[in-house]
């Protein structure tokens, strides 16, 4: 399929409430949207980079730069055989996987539309609804946290993830356990600890958590292996995994026993699926992480989570948990703790173009590369 033109835009979408982790505070999402056109159809992709480099070195600004200067101009006019090979033509860009993923995923959407199948089918999923979990940011205190957990359990979420940081960890998780019994519970530290925190992490090990996500540094696979050897609870890797190569190394070292797959973090759906395949072969469960995506990114995540190795509920929450109003319709809403996937071609959701236009801060079109500020 020939790609005729491409558009990149930045929209700003304020979160209903700030999302706080050990590595930063998110108030608003600066979301880059890639739109690719070919064969009279269009596909969309979302870039998950944040405004600040607290989670990854990439930011919405670096992604804008890499997409406009180094990735999108070369896509226009090209014959793309299939979405799996879009990035084969970008060996000149090292890293910047979130920028690459936004482009790659737009081509997946376009390709699925051209073939006339839903994205989940093109990826090889079953089409069955996927179980969903919720990730709760750091709260002002335990009472606030317990209220949040209660509300999400009432909404039907199948797994509760709680952000932790030094000083707000074991006692807080114990309070959740004491109040809600054996609910599926896990903690995400976003790299807040070191092996020096082993005594505390061993206490956490007694709380029957489903897993402890990314306790140590994003480049510390050896330390994660040393930690996993001391814990019964599976360590789950998020920030440490950017590629199939990272997964192979992590599994070889036994640095973690569960993998969080985020298409943005690993450079798109082809890499996500390859990681899924390696983990499935090794008997390692995976689940789909989230980056506070709009309804567009969520559609990709829900489709990906339909692959058979995704045996644990993902960070896939309803639109209302993030936004006053989403940019897709219908909005994402879990039913009885399960979501999607949608049956239309491609990502299947309808884009609310009026709302997207109103939220747009800047836009570039290729060919041409003309910057348009509304
Ligand atoms: O570590 O999984 C994470 C959000 C932004 C950056 C990193 C993470 C998260 C979440 C939220 O935990 C998941 C979601 O609901 O999208
Ligand atoms: Mg995480």
């Amino acid at each position: 399929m020939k790609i005729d033109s491409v558009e990149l835009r930045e929209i700003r979408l304020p979160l209903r409430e700030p999302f706080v982790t050990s590595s930063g505070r998110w108030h608003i999402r600066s979301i880059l949207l890639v739109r690719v056109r070919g064969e009279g159809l269009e596909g969309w992709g979302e870039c998950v980079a944040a405004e600040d480099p607290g989670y990854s070195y990439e930011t919405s600004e670096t992604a804008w730069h890499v997409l406009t200067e180094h990735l999108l101009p070369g896509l226009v006019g090209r014959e793309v055989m299939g979405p799996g090979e879009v990035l084969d033509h970008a060996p000149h860009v090292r890293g910047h996987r979130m920028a690459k993923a936004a482009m790659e995923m737009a081509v997946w959407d376009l390709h699925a539309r051209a073939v006339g199948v839903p994205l989940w089918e093109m990826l090889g999923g079953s089409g069955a609804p996927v179980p969903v979990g919720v990730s709760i940011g750091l709260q002002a205190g335990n009472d606030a946290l317990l209220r949040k957990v209660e509300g999400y359990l009432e909404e039907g979420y199948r797994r509760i993830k709680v952000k932790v940081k030094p000083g707000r960890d074991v006692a807080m998780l114990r309070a959740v356990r004491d109040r809600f019994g054996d609910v599926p519970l896990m903690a995400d530290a976003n790299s807040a600890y070191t092996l020096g925190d082993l005594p505390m992490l061993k206490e956490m090990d007694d709380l029957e958590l489903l897993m402890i996500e990314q306790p140590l540094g994003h480049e510390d696979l050896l330390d994660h292996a040393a930690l996993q050897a001391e814990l019964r609870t599976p360590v789950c890797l998020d920030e440490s995994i950017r590629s199939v190569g990272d997964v192979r190394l992590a599994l070889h070292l036994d640095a973690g026993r569960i993998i969080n797959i985020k298409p943005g973090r690993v450079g798109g759906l082809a890499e996500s699926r390859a990681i899924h395949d390696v983990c499935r072969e090794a008997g390692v469960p995976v689940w789909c992480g989230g980056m506070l995506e709009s309804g567009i990114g969520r559609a990709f995540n829900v489709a990906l989570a339909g692959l058979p190795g995704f045996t644990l509920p993902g960070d896939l929450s309803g639109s209302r948990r993030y936004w006053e109003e989403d940019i897709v319709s219908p909005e994402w809403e879990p039913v009885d703790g399960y979501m999607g996937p949608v049956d239309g071609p491609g990502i299947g959701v309808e884009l609310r173009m009026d709302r997207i236009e109103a939220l747009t801060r800047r836009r570039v079109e290729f060919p041409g590369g003309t910057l348009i500020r509304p």
Side-chain angles (χ1 to χ4, degrees):
M1 169 195 310
K2 185 155 163 282
I3 306 293
D4 296 325
S5 66
V6 186
E7 176 194 89
L8 179 69
R9 65 172 78 214
E10 179 186 359
I11 64 165
R12 298 262 173 111
L13 204 52
L15 287 158
R16 281 180 63 192
E17 48 187 65
F19 186 77
V20 185
T21 74
S22 68
S23 62
R25 176 181 285 268
W26 305 46
H27 294 272
I28 190 166
R29 298 290 282 115
S30 287
I31 297 170
L32 307 189
L33 296 176
V34 176
R35 180 191 215 167
V36 293
R37 292 189 168 97
E39 290 186 10
L41 298 164
E42 61 179 45
W44 288 76
E46 170 170 348
C47 179
V48 300
E51 294 210 296
D52 65 68
Y55 172 82
S56 155
Y57 68 87
E58 289 188 84
T59 65
S60 41
E61 203 59 44
T62 68
W64 179 273
H65 163 69
V66 169
L67 280 160
T68 56
E69 302 288 329
H70 302 288
L71 290 172
L72 297 180
L75 183 64
V76 179
R78 226 177 62 207
E79 245 345 296
V80 179
M81 300 308 287
E85 61 106 327
V86 180
L87 294 175
D88 294 351
H89 296 269
H92 57 292
V93 179
R94 185 169 295 184
H96 295 281
R97 290 173 186 269
M98 293 179 179
K100 287 173 178 167
M103 175 173 96
E104 195 245 19
M105 290 156 86
V107 177
W108 273 96
D109 182 30
L110 176 64
H111 201 75
R113 285 173 197 273
V115 177
V117 297
L119 178 67
W120 60 260
E121 192 178 320
M122 177 156 275
L123 281 168
S126 71
V130 298
V132 295
V134 64
S135 169
I136 306 179
L138 286 158
Q139 303 294 311
N142 285 359
D143 288 348
L145 175 63
L146 295 175
R147 273 198 301 277
K148 281 249 140 67
V149 174
E150 182 169 36
Y152 290 130
L153 288 174
E154 273 166 15
E155 284 180 48
Y157 284 101
R158 304 260 145 189
R159 184 224 63 195
I160 300 290
K161 164 166 140 183
V162 173
K163 293 287 185 181
V164 293
K165 70 169 186 181
R168 307 218 8 91
D169 37 47
V170 175
M172 184 174 81
L173 291 165
R174 197 170 284 134
V176 178
R177 266 280 171 260
D178 287 350
R179 172 78 179 276
F180 300 102
D182 56 3
V183 293
L185 179 66
M186 60 177 286
D188 185 359
N190 290 106
S191 297
Y193 300 105
T194 68
L195 282 181
D197 296 301
L198 190 59
M200 184 285 298
L201 291 163
K202 283 188 151 242
E203 283 183 57
M204 210 184 266
D205 199 27
D206 293 332
L207 293 173
E208 303 295 332
L209 302 178
L210 283 174
M211 69 194 91
I212 301 173
E213 184 177 346
Q214 196 69 39
L216 311 178
H218 67 114
E219 290 172 331
D220 275 344
L221 281 185
L222 275 182
D223 283 0
H224 277 100
L227 176 62
Q228 181 69 86
E230 298 284 334
L231 302 180
R232 283 184 309 130
T233 311
V235 168
C236 168
L237 296 171
D238 174 356
E239 284 91 327
S240 287
I241 302 298
R242 294 148 309 181
S243 63
V244 174
D246 285 345
V247 170
R248 289 173 58 216
L249 180 57
L251 299 188
H252 179 73
L253 295 171
D254 193 19
R257 295 179 182 163
I258 296 178
I259 301 295
N260 166 333
I261 301 182
K262 295 178 180 175
R265 197 193 63 228
V266 305
L269 293 174
E271 193 75 10
S272 296
R273 197 165 57 175
I275 291 173
H276 161 272
D277 295 349
V278 166
C279 289
R280 192 152 183 247
E281 182 79 14
V284 170
V286 303
W287 54 280
C288 186
M291 290 290 290
L292 310 175
E293 287 92 344
S294 80
I296 297 176
R298 198 159 319 286
F300 286 96
N301 291 351
V302 170
L304 179 67
L307 293 181
F310 285 79
T311 52
L312 295 162
D315 277 343
L316 304 164
S317 306
S319 302
R320 297 291 313 283
R321 179 245 181 288
Y322 310 96
W323 325 111
E324 260 345 304
E325 266 182 86
D326 207 334
I327 56 172
V328 302
S329 91
E331 299 208 334
W332 289 98
E333 199 184 335
V335 178
D336 220 8
Y338 285 82
M339 266 192 333
V342 192
D343 268 331
I347 57 173
V349 288
E350 202 67 48
L351 270 62
R352 292 182 53 187
M353 278 316 296
D354 53 335
R355 186 156 162 71
I356 291 174
E357 293 294 353
L359 293 165
T360 297
R361 290 305 194 84
R362 50 180 166 167
R363 186 163 72 85
V364 194
E365 289 174 349
F366 298 92
T370 329
L371 179 68
I372 299 146
R373 285 187 190 275

